[in-house]
Amino acid sequence: MTRYDEEKRFLHGGDYNPDQWLDYPEVLIQDLKLMQQANTNTFSLGIFAWSALEPKEGQFEFEWLNRVMDDIAAFGGNIILATPSGARPAWLSQKYPEVLRTNEKREKCLHGGRHNHCFTSPIYRKKVAQINQKLAERYHDHPALLMWHISNEYSGECHCEHCQKAFRQWLKAKYHTLEAVNAAWWGAFWSHTYTSWEEIESPSPLGEQMVHGLNLDWRRFVTDQTIDFYLTEVRAIKTYSTNVPITTNFMADTADLIPFQSLNYAEFAKHVDIVSWDCYPAWHNDWETTATLASKVGFINDQYRSLKQQPFLVMESTPSGVNWHEFNKTKRPGMHQLSSLQLIAHGSDSNLYFQWRKSRGSSEKFHGAVVDHDGSSDNRVFQDVKQIGAQLEQIKEIKGSQKVARVAILYDWENNWALNDAQGFALNTKQYPQTLQAHYQQFWEADIAVDIITVDHELSDYDLVIAPMLYLITEQMMNKLSLFVANGGTLVGTYLTGYVDEHDLAYLNGWPKSLRELFGINLIETDTYYPTQHNAIEFKNQNFETKDYQTRVAIETAEIIGVYKHDFYAGEAAITVNTYGKGAAYFIGARTEAAFLHQFYTPLIEQLHLENPYIDLSSPAVSVQSRITETDEYVFVLNFSEQPAEIRLTKTGYDLLSKTQVEKECLLAPYETKVLKYPRT
């Protein structure tokens, strides 16, 4: 058992950058007092501290880090110690320019920013391994060390000659022969047949971008090469530190709060001990309701929890605002508690912040922080952090508990890459992750737990699997879905499914036979609409508007349960269900409004007995999530509304926050949260 396993508290604290304040000893002294006042207990150190740890090549300075770690240990705090590879010192770039990235236009980057380095460079790997080993040798048995934080938010790609060579080696290992490469990439297209491995280059706006098989394999290579670099860092740490868990912080694309798309986290998660991610929703924005945004946060939480089917960590969040959204609004009173406890409700064992103290200069000097430039403990943000720290202590018995879901939504990074690359349909309305979130929202509003799974996950644990827009689908995945339904499962598929295989090559002879048998239909064509155009579906004697994509199908064994109302295919099948073995496969042929999804899923929820057993009546803006232990169930009731909300529980419960009994009829104040404890039945 590791020290991480023995830690009974939720982790509360965040990124701390004492290396920025070494000339201000009074600030470092003040920080130690404020950390304890804020009810914080865990701090990530050293993330961008390479120049402070090794100011000149081979000259290592650890005394400042020794002091900080010892001081935090003295009050019972934890350290998540980072490797500093996310931003290298200027001397390294100056002496070894090969470590700098080359962009897709083959331009060599200058020193600056962060993650501006080549993951393939032998020199960079050597230098990173050296500093990592030094850290592990010195601190592997430090009493405050809780876990290792490898680099920071891995991202980006390099197109230098080292990477071109590595890409060709990757292709040789995968395909063995050029003939196989040409077959997989459909090399005869535009006479793009390769006759030598050296002819192959990574995609570039100056060269090849139209070979979709090349694009797909390059993205796979970037993921694999990033993981390989990460594993190089890990091996260096494990030279001296073998029993401390290791993570690296994943991200979400923040414009729409969708899964980070540049790396395949399904693969990356296999190599971390604990999944962690950085959570930065734009609360109080003017384009969606608070509840809609909360549903998106829930989706990402459930996705990263599901990657390893265990509690995850939120490595970064903000106690107030950020500095890089288009508009950087601060959290309203009550939102910090609500948003923090939502993370815990979905399976996080932490709420950590970026950052502990605001930087004095450069781009992050106005990013939200626990401690502002005034150094005060009296301001609203500090008091909000102090309050949630105390509440996390009140509910610490929940730490380490699990979530159980009977509904799964399938998300596939490679499918998203291929679909975005497809020069068909429409360029801007494919919106694969947003579509999955729209389906997810129906269950979030109904207070039903959902796992967001990958193609590697076992399906037999679920009653309902939702797999929209599987444009890229392998024969293996088709067989997996068929087996799930044949054994009694219920499957929901949609438009834009079943077009290409794992090489991004179109299936021949029509829709794949496996899908025809599973869904009981044959796909005829997909009609793409302009943004102003709409159709409608008649379903259960109601009409629902559709947009973007309308699929025409021929009925083989399926039953028609919804028809199109307009266009040349008016009256044709739009929604079908097919009995297959012991289960059923539904097909939704068009992109619909949320009202249809609600009408579609409500009877399925009843039929499969998926209802939340603790709620009789709730509001769509109130989220009810559960975590369980062997003996107890903890029910989080969270009001993501600016208005009071009435709910009705199936039984009274004890609120761990207010330490009072909560009756069945309950009125929640705006942004109010309750954490109810029940014996597990």
Side-chain angles (χ1 to χ4, degrees):
M1 179 174 287
T2 68
R3 187 170 178 275
Y4 177 84
D5 298 314
E6 294 171 346
E7 174 57 79
K8 303 303 181 185
R9 300 170 294 182
F10 283 108
L11 308 186
H12 187 228
D15 284 19
Y16 180 36
N17 302 298
D19 43 298
Q20 296 181 18
W21 299 95
L22 297 181
D23 293 334
Y24 299 79
E26 71 282 2
V27 168
L28 300 181
I29 293 171
Q30 183 188 49
D31 280 335
L32 295 171
K33 297 177 181 178
L34 292 174
M35 287 171 180
Q36 296 168 78
Q37 291 179 32
N39 297 314
T40 52
N41 57 44
T42 302
F43 301 91
S44 302
L45 294 178
I47 294 173
F48 298 117
W50 198 335
S51 61
L53 294 168
E54 190 180 7
K56 296 180 180 178
E57 185 174 17
Q59 177 185 321
F60 297 97
E61 297 184 2
F62 294 107
E63 289 75 15
W64 65 270
L65 185 55
N66 294 344
R67 289 194 302 272
V68 172
M69 291 185 67
D70 290 347
D71 288 342
I72 291 175
F75 70 78
N78 301 312
I79 299 296
I80 299 175
L81 189 55
T83 65
S85 66
R88 85 249 107 253
W91 62 258
L92 201 158
S93 301
Q94 178 74 20
K95 185 171 182 179
Y96 305 106
E98 76 159 52
V99 306
L100 298 172
R101 280 186 181 164
T102 299
N103 68 21
E104 67 275 10
K105 292 184 178 181
R106 307 313 191 252
E107 299 166 332
K108 176 65 77 173
C109 296
L110 301 175
H111 176 81
R114 58 182 191 179
H115 283 302
N116 172 19
H117 47 259
C118 171
F119 287 138
T120 310
S121 163
I123 290 177
Y124 196 62
R125 289 183 173 222
K126 178 181 177 181
K127 289 298 181 183
V128 168
Q130 184 181 40
I131 186 70
N132 289 6
Q133 282 187 355
K134 293 284 186 181
L135 289 167
E137 181 180 14
R138 179 172 288 263
Y139 300 111
H140 70 277
D141 59 355
H142 192 281
L145 180 63
L146 191 71
M147 64 190 311
W148 291 101
H149 180 317
I150 305 297
S151 196
N152 182 70
E153 296 183 337
Y154 281 115
S155 61
E157 57 192 56
C158 177
H159 297 259
C160 73
E161 280 307 311
H162 285 300
C163 292
Q164 303 295 345
K165 183 178 179 181
F167 181 43
R168 294 171 192 134
Q169 291 299 322
W170 184 91
L171 292 170
K172 288 178 182 178
K174 179 174 182 176
Y175 292 106
H176 305 296
T177 67
L178 276 173
E179 289 76 16
V181 172
N182 287 319
W185 293 357
W186 207 243
F189 172 77
W190 286 358
S191 194
H192 287 174
T193 300
Y194 293 102
T195 59
S196 166
W197 292 103
E198 283 65 36
E199 294 168 4
I200 298 176
E201 291 270 352
S202 60
S204 170
L206 303 179
E208 189 55 81
Q209 283 188 311
M210 298 300 176
V211 175
H212 291 173
L214 165 62
N215 296 345
L216 185 57
D217 274 335
W218 171 254
R219 293 184 180 101
R220 288 166 171 153
F221 164 77
V222 169
T223 289
D224 286 354
Q225 197 69 351
T226 305
I227 293 172
D228 189 67
F229 181 86
Y230 161 84
L231 292 175
T232 298
E233 293 212 51
V234 169
R235 284 191 291 272
I237 292 294
K238 288 191 173 181
T239 303
Y240 296 99
S241 181
T242 58
N243 64 343
V244 178
I246 293 176
T247 191
T248 187
N249 45 340
F250 292 172
M251 294 182 283
D253 284 343
T254 54
D256 294 311
L257 204 69
I258 58 176
F260 186 64
Q261 299 182 65
S262 298
L263 295 173
N264 185 345
Y265 282 159
E267 291 300 315
F268 214 139
K270 297 173 183 177
H271 303 283
V272 301
D273 296 320
I274 300 160
V275 171
S276 63
W277 79 285
D278 297 347
C279 178
Y280 292 109
W283 294 115
H284 319 296
N285 65 60
D286 62 356
W287 61 85
E288 62 192 340
T289 67
T290 301
T292 298
L293 179 54
S295 172
K296 295 177 181 179
V297 177
F299 181 97
I300 304 294
N301 280 325
D302 286 337
Q303 180 173 46
Y304 292 162
R305 172 184 53 77
S306 301
L307 284 173
K308 296 185 82 69
Q309 294 292 336
Q310 67 183 32
F312 61 96
L313 298 178
V314 171
M315 189 61 69
E316 294 182 20
S317 62
T318 176
S320 183
V322 295
N323 69 330
W324 42 269
H325 287 165
E326 185 175 2
F327 302 95
N328 298 294
K329 192 166 187 173
T330 57
K331 287 181 178 177
R332 290 6 233 169
M335 177 50 73
H336 184 60
Q337 179 200 37
L338 178 65
S339 59
S340 297
L341 290 176
Q342 183 193 22
L343 304 175
I344 305 300
H346 282 265
S348 177
D349 276 352
S350 76
N351 188 26
L352 301 168
Y353 310 114
F354 182 85
Q355 50 193 327
W356 166 253
R357 177 185 284 272
K358 282 185 178 179
S359 174
R360 190 177 182 193
S362 295
S363 66
E364 290 174 339
K365 62 181 176 289
F366 295 124
H367 192 291
V370 179
V371 181
D372 212 325
H373 295 131
D374 60 6
S376 171
S377 63
D378 296 328
N379 63 57
R380 180 174 68 90
V381 172
F382 189 95
Q383 289 299 314
D384 281 350
V385 170
K386 180 179 179 179
Q387 178 194 31
I388 196 64
Q391 291 177 332
L392 291 176
E393 182 68 19
Q394 285 178 249
I395 65 171
K396 66 181 179 180
E397 65 189 80
I398 302 174
K399 182 177 182 288
S401 58
Q402 303 294 322
K403 286 184 69 71
V404 175
R406 293 166 54 204
V407 179
I409 296 178
L410 180 64
Y411 182 91
D412 181 12
W413 272 269
E414 293 193 357
N415 173 63
N416 191 38
W417 295 337
L419 183 58
N420 285 340
D421 220 17
Q423 292 172 284
F425 316 113
L427 296 181
N428 298 316
T429 62
K430 286 176 275 196
Q431 297 184 330
Y432 170 65
Q434 293 90 340
T435 300
L436 270 61
Q437 288 183 332
H439 286 257
Y440 173 89
Q441 186 171 353
Q442 300 304 312
F443 295 89
W444 187 87
E445 291 180 352
D447 304 319
I448 295 168
V450 178
D451 283 351
I452 311 299
I453 62 172
T454 73
V455 294
D456 294 330
H457 276 82
E458 174 58 46
L459 303 183
S460 62
D461 294 333
Y462 304 102
D463 297 305
L464 174 62
V465 171
I466 303 165
M469 299 178 67
L470 282 183
Y471 166 83
L472 183 156
I473 184 170
T474 64
E475 291 282 356
Q476 180 183 9
M477 193 65 214
M478 293 183 213
N479 294 335
K480 192 172 184 177
L481 293 173
S482 297
L483 181 63
F484 166 72
V485 178
N487 288 336
T490 300
L491 172 69
V492 177
T494 74
Y495 53 92
L496 297 189
T497 288
Y499 280 82
V500 300
D501 66 9
E502 63 269 31
H503 301 299
D504 209 348
L505 293 177
Y507 282 108
L508 300 179
N509 304 313
W511 216 35
K513 181 181 178 182
S514 297
L515 295 181
R516 290 176 61 176
E517 293 177 349
L518 175 58
F519 289 103
I521 58 176
N522 190 17
L523 189 151
I524 300 174
E525 63 179 332
T526 297
D527 190 12
T528 300
Y529 277 6
Y530 285 87
T532 59
Q533 298 173 335
H534 300 88
N535 202 321
I537 287 175
E538 182 180 337
F539 177 76
K540 294 187 181 295
N541 300 316
Q542 296 184 59
N543 292 336
F544 299 95
E545 187 175 272
T546 66
K547 60 181 180 179
D548 297 340
Y549 302 105
Q550 332 287 315
T551 305
R552 297 184 62 219
V553 301
I555 299 298
E556 295 184 344
T557 59
E559 175 190 353
I560 301 172
I561 58 175
V563 297
Y564 291 110
K565 295 290 290 181
H566 309 298
D567 223 316
F568 67 92
Y569 36 88
E572 291 184 5
I575 314 293
T576 63
V577 60
N578 186 53
T579 300
Y580 184 85
K582 299 177 182 178
Y586 291 83
F587 187 84
I588 301 174
R591 179 167 289 163
T592 68
E593 56 182 320
F596 166 79
L597 294 177
H598 177 77
Q599 187 72 12
F600 174 78
Y601 282 119
T602 297
L604 267 183
I605 289 169
E606 295 173 356
Q607 176 187 329
L608 298 174
H609 305 291
L610 300 173
E611 299 93 342
N612 188 311
Y614 291 97
I615 294 293
D616 261 346
L617 176 68
S618 183
S619 158
V622 175
S623 176
V624 181
Q625 301 288 329
S626 300
R627 293 181 66 166
I628 63 172
T629 65
E630 290 184 359
T631 58
D632 298 295
E633 185 154 5
Y634 301 91
V635 179
F636 292 74
V637 184
L638 308 107
N639 183 16
F640 286 98
S641 171
E642 288 69 32
Q643 303 299 323
E646 293 183 3
I647 64 167
R648 186 165 64 241
L649 303 168
T650 57
K651 59 179 78 173
T652 60
Y654 181 75
D655 181 13
L656 295 177
L657 297 179
S658 64
K659 299 182 180 179
T660 61
Q661 198 75 11
V662 176
E663 300 302 319
K664 291 183 181 180
E665 302 285 342
C666 179
L667 180 66
L668 296 173
Y671 295 170
E672 185 178 359
T673 298
K674 294 185 182 300
V675 183
L676 307 178
K677 180 178 180 179
Y678 295 98
R680 186 176 177 189
T681 59

